[in-house]
Amino acid sequence: MYITYETTQYSLNDRGKSPKFSQPPKKVPNDLPKPDFMPTKLVRISDTQVVDGSQVNEGYCALSYSWNQSGEIQQDDNGEYIRVDEGKHEIISYSNVSRDMMNRELSEKHRKIFEDIIDDKISYFTKTIKHVKFEGIIQQICQQFNIKYIWYDQLCINQDNDEEKKRELRKMYRIYENAYCTVALVPDVYNVFFLNTMIHEYFKRLWTLEEALKSKRLLFVGKDRHQWGENTESYREIHCLIKSSSEINVSQILYHAHQRRNTKEHDRVFALIHLFPEFINTGGNDDEQKSLKKWIFRLFCCFTKKERISKKIKIDYNQPLEDLMIKFYGLLAKKDIRILLFGYNPGYKSTIKKYKFLPSWTGVNGMHTYDNSTISFQNYDVVGKTMHVASTYTTNNQFIGEGTFTLREEDLPPSPDDIDDDNNRDEYCLCILVQLPESSETKRIKFDRSYDYLFVQEKGFDEISTKLQQLSRFMEIKKENLCWCHRFGNEYRMATEVYFHDLTDGLDDPTAQYVILSEISFESDNNRRYYPVIKKLQGEEFYKAIGCCKTDSEKDFFSDCNLSKETFLIQ
């Protein structure tokens, strides 16, 4: 496809309420310091000539884009995809003219006029459209943002030279890591400041994820607006791409990776494996190997396991895809148990569900979270498709085989003494007291604050019954332990809410055993805790990972419980 770029752009701080900038308010600084590593080739923006990178005495930027937005993608006689650029990309510019000049100098036939209402005043502009090839679009963007040298694959790698492509691909992580910034081209962003990983083409391609995660800083450039990466705090799923590699965890990476597409099946691994270069035997020289080790340390200094991975993955498109993916996800899981930090979101467009051979602990049936989280759990291993987890747990074996947990009006606790039918019925919410096995204290679990006295009395029995049935899969539930708590009182504030609605499987199979792995406590930066939930059908040998339940408390819900410990086999 062909794209459009407007030379007058909104920036993040405008929020569409002020005139567009004819020049970006923030640009790349002059005289960028030259990094220790320079790419083999760079594009000189002044004349779009490809020059020797070693002869450039200043820093450079890099480009990240979706290949199919750089022209027409066609298939040749050999079945290979090629790019055809007929120069149909558009650069649109505007110039302000007065009404008199417009009427005097421009004919009705040739002028293109539009009205832009700003502060209740009407301004008149001429609109000029220039058709260029893709490199013309890049040149215009770079000139406006003061970028003098840029690297991007179409011009800096000879696409007809396989040896050069292999050699340069080994350096990709260094190219993006050493660039002052990476220009992320998102031409389908226009009209509003809105970045969405589930909509825009840039966030649907797997290779752009690798490029973004390796970059020091990102500059998102759309059709008529742009924003620097540090200004994306309001887009949490985007903002996690802005962090340094040492702050990214596997769950955040897979959140982005599992909704992206790739042309070749094997690239499902190869486009990710460059984020984890210690999984690869690159065959590079000593300097390259030293740089790899330095980069690996920075990438994994946040991970809990530091042992060296001995099994390597060979970049070979002829190897069986299933073997390749199982090995890669196994290495990934050994690095970071946060591979289990996933749930269910009906709006998430997963691209890996078709790989039915993947074990459940990969999150193949769900959506990983993009939240920051910490975890210190290490008592697990992965062998082939099986994850071995030694953890404390909670389950309610007595419930297996029982029917629906039904709540009736007579099961409700007595009305609070100070309840007033006219004024304060919405101030009391339903809670229940539970005691986990060998726990030293009774715990109070609260339901959603919308389940107030009025809601429960009028229509809440079915929903409360479902909540109680879910809890009863993991702990003994007694209806007589239901109680009312004032939502502004200390008892309600100290109570914990437990959520099960993000699981990939429901908790409605009466023949299955459901288990919370209570020792695996993911502490999130949004003041919540997540605990993996697994499921096993009668007669089955292996458990299935079905996501995480979560609590609305920073405190570990199971911290004071002397729960039993067991090794679980998960596939």
Side-chain angles (χ1 to χ4, degrees), residues 94-110:
Y94 304 105
S95 58
N96 196 337
V97 297
S98 68
R99 184 192 295 267
D100 291 340
M101 181 182 296
M102 177 186 71
N103 291 330
R104 184 172 63 251
E105 298 185 5
L106 298 176
S107 69
E108 185 68 28
K109 179 179 179 180
H110 294 98

Side-chain angles (χ1 to χ4, degrees), residues 331-461:
L331 294 174
L332 206 58
K334 287 183 177 183
K335 267 298 176 189
D336 194 349
I337 190 63
R338 282 170 288 194
I339 197 171
L340 292 177
L341 189 49
F342 64 87
Y344 173 70
N345 184 334
Y348 186 77
K349 306 300 183 183
S350 173
T351 57
I352 68 161
K353 283 186 176 180
K354 64 180 180 179
Y355 302 111
K356 303 298 184 183
F357 53 78
L358 287 177
S360 62
W361 49 261
T362 63
V364 61
N365 298 311
M367 179 191 83
H368 285 84
T369 178
Y370 50 78
D371 293 331
N372 293 323
S373 61
T374 57
I375 181 72
S376 58
F377 183 81
Q378 299 188 41
N379 298 324
Y380 72 101
D381 196 9
V382 178
V383 180
K385 288 187 175 183
T386 306
M387 177 178 284
H388 302 248
V389 178
S391 171
T392 59
Y393 66 96
T394 180
T395 187
N396 187 8
N397 290 324
Q398 294 180 351
F399 189 85
I400 296 178
E402 293 189 8
T404 303
F405 198 110
T406 304
L407 182 71
R408 300 178 177 86
E409 186 172 2
E410 56 267 27
D411 298 322
L412 292 177
S415 301
D417 293 336
D418 62 343
I419 194 106
D420 185 328
D421 290 343
D422 296 326
N423 297 318
N424 65 349
R425 288 189 298 172
D426 62 344
E427 294 181 1
Y428 283 89
C429 298
L430 197 62
C431 296
I432 189 168
L433 299 174
V434 299
Q435 189 163 8
L436 297 174
E438 303 182 47
S439 175
S440 60
E441 63 180 55
T442 300
K443 295 181 178 291
R444 191 182 305 270
I445 294 178
K446 60 186 176 184
F447 299 100
D448 190 286
R449 63 187 306 170
S450 64
Y451 293 173
D452 56 38
Y453 184 86
L454 181 62
F455 175 86
V456 174
Q457 290 286 344
E458 292 183 352
K459 56 181 179 180
F461 290 104

